[in-house]
Amino acid sequence: FSAAITITEQPVSVSVPVGYSFTLRCRAEGRTSLRYQWFCQQRSACCQIPGATKQDLPITAQQTQLYTCRINDLYRNVVFSDWVKVEVHQCVARGLPPRLWRGEPVIILNPTEQRVEVGKPIQLQCAAMGFPAPSYQWYRNGNPLEQQKKKNLWITHAKVSDSGTYLCCASNSHGEHWTNAVDIHIGETLPPAEHLQLCCLVFPLATGKIALLVGNNRYQHHPNLMAPVTDVFELSLLLEQLDFQVVSLLD
C-alpha cells in the first residue's frame, strides 16, 4: 500500500563549504495527514535525527553525510525519500564562495598538467561546490568525453591519442563553471626545460612555415573562458593542412 503516499519533491544533494547553513526539503501527498522523520547515515550507521519531524530539515554543514526522510500516514503506510549526499568542504580559500552565493557552481579544485608514459594510468581531478550538487562533464580538445562525467577522470592505460588539452565543466540549475585547461602529454620523455631548448635549436634551422598559437583562458577579472581551447585546436588543424609547423600554447 506504499502507493498511498506519493513524494512530490525529493531532497537534493549539495556540495557546500563548512559552516554553510541551508535546508533540505521533502514534500509528499497522501490520503491522510502525513508524518515526517529525517535520518542521517555516517560511517555505515543510520541514525534517526532527534526532533527532525518536519518537511524541511535545517542544516549547518559540519561534515559530509547522507540523509533520507521517512514519511508515514495514519494507515501505517511508509515511504522513504531518495538518499542525498551533503558534501562538506573543510578547506575553502578565502572569498569562496562569493558573498552573494546563490548555489551556482564554484570550482575549488583544478586539474593539473601531467606527463604520462604510454600504458600508464591518467587521473585528473576537479571539484566544485554547488546547490544542488553540480554534475560534471570532461572535455579533450574542446570535445566532450561521453564516458567521463564524474569529478575524477580516469584512463587506465594511456595511449598517444589521449594527449591533448583537458578541462571539466561543472553545472547545475543555476549555471556552469569551467576548470582551468591543462595539457596532458603522453609518451613524451623530455622535461619541459629540455623540450624548450630543443625548440630553440630546431626553429632557427627550420625552412618551412611556423605558426605559434596562444590561447589565453585565465583572466584576473573575468571568468575562465572556453573558446580559446576550441579556437586553438580548430586553427591548428587548419594551419597544419596548409603545411605549417604549429606550436600551440595555453595561458
Side-chain angles (χ1 to χ4, degrees):
F1 295 96
S2 60
I5 303 174
T6 302
I7 296 180
T8 57
E9 181 180 351
Q10 294 277 6
V12 297
S13 296
V14 301
S15 181
V16 296
V18 64
Y20 186 77
S21 296
F22 62 97
T23 300
L24 291 181
R25 292 167 50 90
C26 184
R27 298 289 186 273
E29 295 178 350
R31 299 171 186 172
T32 71
S33 60
L34 301 177
R35 298 176 180 176
Y36 293 78
Q37 176 63 59
W38 288 89
F39 294 80
C40 66
Q41 183 175 11
Q42 182 184 8
R43 297 178 181 176
S44 302
C46 183
C47 304
Q48 180 174 305
I49 303 174
T53 57
K54 297 183 179 180
Q55 296 174 319
D56 294 344
L57 176 66
I59 295 176
T60 298
Q62 297 298 331
Q63 54 190 330
T64 297
Q65 289 182 309
L66 299 176
Y67 292 84
T68 187
C69 185
R70 183 190 68 200
I71 307 106
N72 65 278
D73 64 11
L74 300 181
Y75 296 120
R76 297 183 179 179
N77 297 308
V78 177
V79 295
F80 282 84
S81 72
D82 296 339
W83 280 97
V84 294
K85 183 177 184 179
V86 174
E87 184 177 28
V88 180
H89 300 279
Q90 298 291 336
C91 299
V92 178
R94 182 175 299 175
L96 291 176
R99 183 176 300 176
L100 299 178
W101 188 49
R102 296 181 179 179
E104 66 276 10
V106 176
I107 301 295
I108 59 173
L109 176 64
N110 279 285
T112 57
E113 181 176 346
Q114 294 184 27
R115 296 177 178 271
V116 181
E117 296 179 13
V118 173
K120 299 293 185 180
I122 302 173
Q123 184 178 22
L124 295 177
Q125 295 180 309
C126 76
M129 295 186 300
F131 195 118
S135 57
Y136 296 86
Q137 175 62 64
W138 285 90
Y139 292 77
R140 181 180 67 237
N141 297 332
N143 299 310
L145 299 171
E146 293 300 326
Q147 305 302 317
Q148 303 292 351
K149 296 179 181 290
K150 297 181 179 180
K151 284 191 296 186
N152 295 340
L153 177 147
W154 177 260
I155 298 174
T156 307
H157 303 288
K159 305 184 297 292
V160 174
S161 59
D162 292 322
S163 296
T165 301
Y166 287 74
L167 78 170
C168 186
C169 177
S171 61
N172 65 11
S173 55
H174 296 290
E176 63 183 28
H177 202 170
W178 299 83
T179 67
N180 295 338
V182 296
D183 291 330
I184 303 301
H185 310 270
I186 310 298
E188 185 173 335
T189 57
L190 289 177
E194 296 180 17
H195 181 75
L196 182 61
Q197 293 175 3
L198 179 61
C199 291
C200 294
L201 291 173
V202 172
F203 283 0
L205 302 176
T207 58
K209 298 178 290 185
I210 301 173
L212 173 63
L213 303 180
V214 179
N216 191 33
N217 290 288
R218 305 179 193 177
Y219 291 88
Q220 184 175 2
H221 301 293
H222 193 282
N224 291 343
L225 302 179
M226 175 59 189
V229 177
T230 55
D231 291 347
V232 167
F233 179 65
E234 297 284 348
L235 192 55
S236 65
L237 293 179
L238 177 62
L239 291 171
E240 286 173 355
Q241 294 175 3
L242 299 175
D243 298 324
F244 276 84
Q245 297 181 39
V246 180
V247 178
S248 299
L249 301 175
L250 289 173
D251 299 315

